[in-house]
Amino acid sequence: MARKQGSHSDITGPKVREAALRLIARHGYAAVSMRQLAAEVGVQAGALYNYTPDKQTLLYDLMHDHLVDVIESFDKADPKSDANSRLRAFVSFHIRYHLPRADAVFVAYMELRNLEPENFAAIEKLRRAYEDRLEAILRQGEAEGAFAMQDARVATRAIIGMLTGFFTWYRQEGRLPLEEVEAIYWDLVGKAVAR
Amino acid sequence: MARKQGSHSDITGPKVREAALRLIARHGYAAVSMRQLAAEVGVQAGALYNYTPDKQTLLYDLMHDHLVDVIESFDKADPKSDANSRLRAFVSFHIRYHLPRADAVFVAYMELRNLEPENFAAIEKLRRAYEDRLEAILRQGEAEGAFAMQDARVATRAIIGMLTGFFTWYRQEGRLPLEEVEAIYWDLVGKAVAR
DNA sequence: CATCTAACTGAACATCTGTTCATTTGAAAA
DNA sequence: TTTTCAAATGAACAGATGTTCAGTTAGATG
């Protein structure tokens, strides 16, 4: 019955999501109209509603799917060994995973304000789940006697902020190769929580 | 000639700026209409144009004045002595200055996208000027042999990110008194750049 | 008191907003 | 070739947008 090949929906669908990420990252959710988005996709505004029930749900889905993927991917990358190896893996993963997804990171980070309350709560939960991964590593390090810090929760926030701030400028800079930035960050993070 | 006392402009003017900071921090520049802002001030939309030539200039002025004040205030707080004292002063200043100005920080940080190109360039220059203060301290510390890091510029960005991320969550948390958060951050920053 | 004017109103403007839906299109399926 | 239907169009909707401006108001000034 349903056409699987030749259908445009499996072309237009991803196009809508990509264009939405790009435009929202660039201009902000509220500043991007459905007509702008449609033009970017090469379609009329009405056609977008074959791919999302409304604008708000489109934003929510973009953020939700990104965060779910971040968490799943980290859980695969996590060596689950000693705290020092795990922290190093976290820093490396975070930088390498987020770099090619700068738009999604930016949207998930900057557009929390534009989520309706229930959507906000759901996204906040996912964001927290990712942070909890890092906090667990820091606490393991304390227990092992490898790390020492005054407050693991604050340290978690500080490290996340440090790494996330990275994506607000790396694009433009380009002065350093990724491997080097990763090494520099590992140096800073490792020393900050060292005993 | 011009009325100085009894005039409302010296009441309404600040009110407009305060309300704009509050609403824009909460909902974003694009999502706040001039009519919403006017209602918050207790005035009709047309009256706002006694205080700003247009919406874009209002945003620019809020960001500009905030950043100029940050830089001036830091230059006064800077002990201009050894690098370690200066870095400690920077961390302390940054947290203490920004905390009671959370809305302004948020706007200056989140609304860069909504500035027209020339305004963006001007604000970016100010932002950079503040970061350069920190970078100079780190380089002084390297020269003194007090600090060691792989790249002062990246370390600057990392520390700024770490401190700025602070304001995205401190409001809600409230678990810790300011003095304690300041001490925790100093511990992290100091160790991260230590030799 | 009468005058003056900064401050504000309220209506108007052209245009844009998200969303809906009857209609058309075109390519795969029969 | 004819049928079928997912996908897209394009017009319409009710209301919101930033901004302008002639007119009103109220309080200090002379």
Side-chain angles (χ1 to χ4, degrees), chain B residues 3 7-9 12 43-44 46-47 50-51:
Chain B
R3 271 183 302 174
S7 164
H8 288 184
S9 72
T12 308
V43 104
Q44 292 299 311
N50 290 321
Y51 302 97

Side-chain angles (χ1 to χ4, degrees), chain B residues 56-123:
Chain B
Q56 167 73 202
T57 304
L58 175 59
L59 175 64
Y60 172 76
D61 286 342
L62 291 173
M63 296 171 81
H64 174 268
D65 295 357
H66 168 71
L67 286 172
V68 165
D69 197 40
V70 169
I71 292 169
E72 279 182 6
S73 300
F74 171 69
D75 284 344
K76 279 180 195 155
D78 183 4
K80 287 160 183 141
S81 54
D82 63 291
N84 201 66
S85 303
R86 292 184 74 196
L87 182 58
R88 180 152 204 167
F90 183 91
V91 171
S92 174
F93 166 81
H94 190 95
I95 292 182
R96 289 177 179 273
Y97 179 89
H98 287 79
L99 189 69
R101 294 170 181 85
D103 284 344
V105 177
F106 216 68
V107 169
Y109 184 61
M110 299 288 253
E111 301 297 347
L112 287 166
R113 289 181 297 186
N114 291 300
L115 290 172
E116 285 159 13
E118 351 168 18
N119 290 339
F120 177 81
I123 293 299

Side-chain angles (χ1 to χ4, degrees), chain A residues 179-192:
Chain A
E179 292 76 18
E180 212 160 318
V181 177
E182 194 187 314
I184 295 168
Y185 264 94
W186 169 242
D187 177 56
L188 290 167
V189 172
K191 278 160 70 184

